[in-house]
Amino acid sequence: MAAYPPGGTYFDNGKRSFTQVPMNASKDNAISTSEYLEASESLTGLFDVLGSTAFSPIKKDMIQNIKKIRDRQLEAPLESETLQDLVRNELKTKKHLATEGLLWLTRQAHHSSTRVLPNEELSVSFRDAYGLTLKQYHSFIIKPIFSAAMSACPYRKDFYGKLGDDEGRVKKDLDEWLRALEDRVKVLNEFLAKPEAKW
């Protein structure tokens, strides 16, 4: 069964794409919480497209981090309209569950946004991206789970085929999606590195 609508790509299916997540430049690139969480939920669907149960723990962890952020948003909606406000306001309460969830979700998104080099197999690109993004934060218990997942990556051509029939459209949509994700990850990494986002 295709993971995309007829004539479309996988990116047409999700509730929201990262290209549709507002960043308010006049407010230091504040990122809308609801839209970011919806796009992150759509991102977790890509693990199903990869086609191996080895990705299940990774997907589950991302979903748990999304839930931590959403729970805080539901608890204090007016203080959580943007991810940055959610963090600032949660930390004022001396709690950090959602902030920690956002930190891990950002790390996971950073890993997912690392581009696959032309003619490089996914397993190589994902393994390299893991070394650059998540590996330094994982314990010796977690690292083998990621190693197994990287080894379970499908061949590049097979994965791209699962994203859509039209290779040109798949590449265009994937490139736009990755660029939007990279932009938001960069903003979040810079914000989360500031003293105001520390607990």
Side-chain angles (χ1 to χ4, degrees):
M1 182 174 160
Y4 54 87
T9 69
Y10 169 82
F11 303 99
D12 297 327
N13 275 352
K15 187 183 280 187
R16 186 169 309 271
S17 168
F18 285 101
T19 61
Q20 302 166 319
V21 176
M23 286 196 309
N24 188 336
S26 68
K27 292 188 176 181
D28 201 23
N29 288 320
I31 297 173
S32 177
T33 302
S34 294
E35 288 86 346
Y36 188 84
L37 294 178
E38 289 173 357
S40 295
E41 287 170 334
S42 295
L43 164 60
T44 66
L46 276 176
F47 293 108
D48 297 330
V49 176
L50 288 167
S52 172
T53 57
F55 292 100
S56 296
I58 299 167
K59 178 180 177 179
K60 181 180 176 187
D61 193 43
M62 287 184 79
I63 290 169
Q64 287 173 341
N65 287 322
I66 292 167
K67 183 182 183 323
K68 290 174 187 176
I69 300 163
R70 183 166 282 124
D71 287 349
R72 172 63 190 174
Q73 180 191 28
L74 293 172
E75 181 182 313
L78 297 178
E79 297 176 349
S80 306
E81 290 181 3
T82 70
L83 292 170
Q84 292 91 330
D85 284 344
L86 180 146
V87 167
R88 288 184 197 105
N89 289 310
E90 182 189 43
L91 292 177
K92 287 178 189 174
T93 69
K94 305 296 183 205
K95 295 178 184 175
H96 58 82
L97 187 65
T99 301
E100 189 173 4
L102 179 60
L103 176 66
W104 278 103
L105 185 61
T106 301
R107 289 172 177 168
Q108 292 159 330
H110 188 189
H111 175 256
S112 298
S113 72
T114 304
R115 292 179 181 265
V116 176
L117 300 173
N119 303 318
E120 185 173 74
E121 286 301 335
L122 294 181
S123 60
V124 174
S125 292
F126 284 7
R127 197 176 310 280
D128 290 348
Y130 179 67
L132 294 171
T133 58
L134 289 169
K135 188 175 183 178
Q136 62 186 319
Y137 305 110
H138 284 165
S139 70
F140 71 95
I141 295 170
I142 301 297
K143 287 176 185 175
I145 294 170
F146 272 80
S147 180
M150 300 308 108
S151 298
C153 286
Y155 288 112
R156 176 192 179 94
K157 66 176 178 55
D158 296 336
F159 176 66
Y160 277 52
K162 291 178 181 182
L163 296 178
D165 289 332
D166 181 341
E167 186 177 336
R169 175 132 187 252
V170 167
K171 286 182 180 177
K172 176 187 166 291
D173 288 0
L174 180 59
D175 188 57
E176 289 172 359
W177 182 86
L178 281 171
R179 199 171 323 115
L181 178 56
E182 287 169 347
D183 291 346
R184 282 139 189 87
V185 165
K186 182 176 186 287
V187 167
L188 289 171
N189 275 333
E190 289 172 0
F191 171 72
L192 291 166
K194 292 180 179 178
E196 67 181 316
K198 302 293 184 199
W199 63 90

